[in-house]
Amino acid sequence: LIPSPVTPASVAAFLRNALVVGLDKKAVGQYLGEAGKGPVPGKSPPSWERDWFHKEVLTTYCSLFRFERQSLLDGLRMFLASFRLPGEAQMIDRILQAFAESCGRVCDEGPEGHTKLFSPDPKKASDAAYLLSFSIIMLNTDQHNDNIREDRKMSAGDFVKNNTDYGADITEKGHELPPEYLVGIYESIREEEIRTEGEGADGHMTVERWKDVLRGPPGEAEDQSFVFASQNDGNDLKELVLETVWMPILSAIGGLWGAPPIEPDGEGGIQPPGSNPHRNQGGMLGAQGARLGMDMSLAMLDGVRNLGRMDIFHQIFGCVCRYTGLLGTYDKDGVDRTWSFVNSVEAQSAVGVAIQIARDAGDALNLEAWKCIWGIIFELRDLKLLSGGVTNNKKGILTESEPDLLSQSSRRDWMMRLVKGDMGD
């Protein structure tokens, strides 16, 4: 599973994907904590057993986490969810040192973070992150060890006192950790234990693991050939979910609008609904279902567009336009088509969605989508529903809000040229 020649980057990437490849979390922690072997005169051990190799693996492993825009505690929870800390104090020390150097600079409390509670000096910030991380782990053990009596457990005051000021070499004046910040950490640990054993290793996702996956690795690994996870795990996961659920959601919307389920076309798309998709007037829930269908359609179209999946966006939009019942072969006369539309709150809801998307996200629509929009508008006009007509006292579904820019004779001339196909100069 590890390419040859073995490098610290390839081993770090392998361990980083421990849960994906089924590694034991305890074994991962044991390896990360190993110091490695020093040089031996006349018989040096293989490079992957050397001390420098182990150090580089640990450093690279920590760099493969995204600690930006989160607190030190959240970063520590995410970090410790990937393996189990070994029992030897020296191993724990090495791992936490590497974690602190990677997280202490970029987390919210670090020099590059939002709250900047640690010293602006990166070295001092890493030292503060190391001491606070060690204290958090001790607190975690203290609060959740059944062998420690309640009256002997650490209090919030003790935790604040131990971590407010780490001395002049680490805590600069004005950068003492605020009591309310430390009390917040204390309460968080007391209410939610940091677990590392038995979670995630059996295939179940924990909250910390989900955060880890959604944030994704921070950058490209040195060995590009050995990166199991995508460099954009968060977007990849969202797109994977989208590709899986958009058709069922669209079928659910059709159900709310009284339409038959959509059918895949075998090429990753869908077969368009027929010219009269509303098989049962009133849908599943009548007006309430129609409104729910509108909300679901708008939310899905907006979300898909924000993800940049315009191929799916255009398929969903085209299907919504056909749910209006205003596009198709027009095999019924005008009276029947008018009656069907006027008495279908579902079809009217689909029109509302199509018009709102055209208004709010017109730049995202392609040529076929605009053809659908104009087809809907022309059909409403032909059915005397666009502006209501004289007999309805101008009470229609849509109303033209601007006067015609062309005179009557110019409009007539334009329509004749349009019919004849004479659109030249």
Side-chain angles (χ1 to χ4, degrees), residues 9 21 46 52 59 89 204 210 237-238 305:
V21 297
W52 63 266
T59 300
H204 296 293
W210 270 118
L237 181 61
K238 292 175 185 176
R305 182 166 61 91

Side-chain angles (χ1 to χ4, degrees), residues 196-212:
T196 62
E197 185 178 13
E199 292 199 6
D202 55 356
H204 296 293
M205 291 295 285
T206 62
V207 172
E208 289 76 17
R209 281 293 297 158
W210 270 118
K211 290 180 180 179
D212 192 6

Side-chain angles (χ1 to χ4, degrees), residues 72 117-118 127-139 154-167 170-171 175-179 181-183 185-186:
L72 178 79
L117 296 180
F118 297 155
D127 290 342
Y130 164 76
L131 292 174
L132 182 56
S133 299
F134 215 113
S135 184
I136 289 173
I137 290 176
M138 292 177 62
L139 174 66
M154 186 183 301
S155 67
D158 293 334
F159 185 74
V160 170
K161 181 180 178 181
N162 294 339
N163 293 282
T164 299
D165 190 339
Y166 296 123
I170 298 176
T171 304
H175 284 277
E176 296 85 0
L177 296 180
Y181 164 75
L182 294 172
V183 170
I185 292 178
Y186 179 89

Side-chain angles (χ1 to χ4, degrees), residues 281-361:
Q281 296 295 334
M284 292 175 60
L285 300 171
Q288 184 179 1
R291 178 65 197 185
L292 180 57
M294 284 187 67
D295 293 341
M296 291 175 63
S297 300
L298 291 170
M300 183 162 65
L301 284 164
D302 184 58
V304 172
R305 182 166 61 91
N306 289 337
L307 280 176
R309 288 302 302 268
M310 304 312 296
D311 54 333
I312 298 178
F313 174 84
H314 290 132
Q315 290 194 72
I316 297 173
F317 184 79
C319 190
V320 168
C321 288
R322 287 174 175 81
Y323 279 151
T324 64
L326 299 175
L327 303 174
T329 58
Y330 310 114
D331 52 353
K332 297 181 179 180
D333 61 31
V335 174
D336 288 340
R337 301 204 309 269
T338 301
W339 187 92
S340 295
F341 182 78
V342 170
N343 288 279
S344 174
V345 67
E346 297 83 14
Q348 295 168 27
S349 299
V351 170
V353 172
I355 297 300
Q356 183 167 334
I357 292 296
R359 183 191 65 187
D360 297 343

Side-chain angles (χ1 to χ4, degrees), residues 225-243:
S225 64
F226 193 77
V227 180
F228 283 95
S230 165
Q231 300 299 328
N232 298 290
D233 271 338
N235 287 336
D236 288 347
L237 181 61
K238 292 175 185 176
E239 289 198 25
L240 178 62
V241 172
L242 172 62
E243 291 172 358

Side-chain angles (χ1 to χ4, degrees), residues 50-222:
R50 291 289 306 277
D51 46 5
W52 63 266
F53 190 94
H54 277 263
K55 184 176 180 180
E56 286 190 29
V57 167
L58 180 56
T59 300
T60 305
Y61 179 85
C62 293
S63 72
L64 294 176
F65 287 83
R66 291 284 299 273
F67 295 124
E68 300 89 346
R69 300 186 303 278
Q70 61 179 331
S71 67
L72 178 79
L73 176 58
D74 287 341
L76 185 62
R77 287 185 183 277
M78 184 175 69
F79 182 66
L80 295 180
S82 298
F83 62 94
R84 183 188 177 191
L85 275 176
E88 187 178 330
Q90 290 184 339
M91 289 186 173
I92 296 176
D93 181 75
R94 276 190 288 270
I95 293 173
L96 289 185
Q97 283 282 5
F99 163 79
E101 290 173 4
S102 182
C103 180
R105 176 175 51 86
V106 299
C107 66
D108 282 348
E109 297 90 338
E112 299 178 15
H114 176 67
T115 60
K116 294 180 171 58
L117 296 180
F118 297 155
S119 168
D121 181 277
K123 178 64 172 62
K124 293 182 179 180
S126 295
D127 290 342
Y130 164 76
L131 292 174
L132 182 56
S133 299
F134 215 113
S135 184
I136 289 173
I137 290 176
M138 292 177 62
L139 174 66
N140 188 72
T141 303
D142 175 87
Q143 293 295 306
H144 300 283
N145 190 332
D146 294 335
N147 294 324
I148 300 178
R149 287 169 22 196
E150 286 295 327
D151 60 336
R152 293 185 176 273
K153 291 184 182 294
M154 186 183 301
S155 67
D158 293 334
F159 185 74
V160 170
K161 181 180 178 181
N162 294 339
N163 293 282
T164 299
D165 190 339
Y166 296 123
D169 293 339
I170 298 176
T171 304
E172 297 178 352
K173 187 175 182 180
H175 284 277
E176 296 85 0
L177 296 180
E180 59 273 15
Y181 164 75
L182 294 172
V183 170
I185 292 178
Y186 179 89
E187 295 294 337
S188 177
I189 292 296
R190 189 175 67 172
E191 294 174 5
E192 184 180 355
E193 178 183 3
I194 298 178
R195 292 182 174 272
T196 62
E197 185 178 13
E199 292 199 6
D202 55 356
H204 296 293
M205 291 295 285
T206 62
V207 172
E208 289 76 17
R209 281 293 297 158
W210 270 118
K211 290 180 180 179
D212 192 6
V213 169
L214 290 174
R215 294 178 72 85
E220 297 183 355
E222 178 183 325

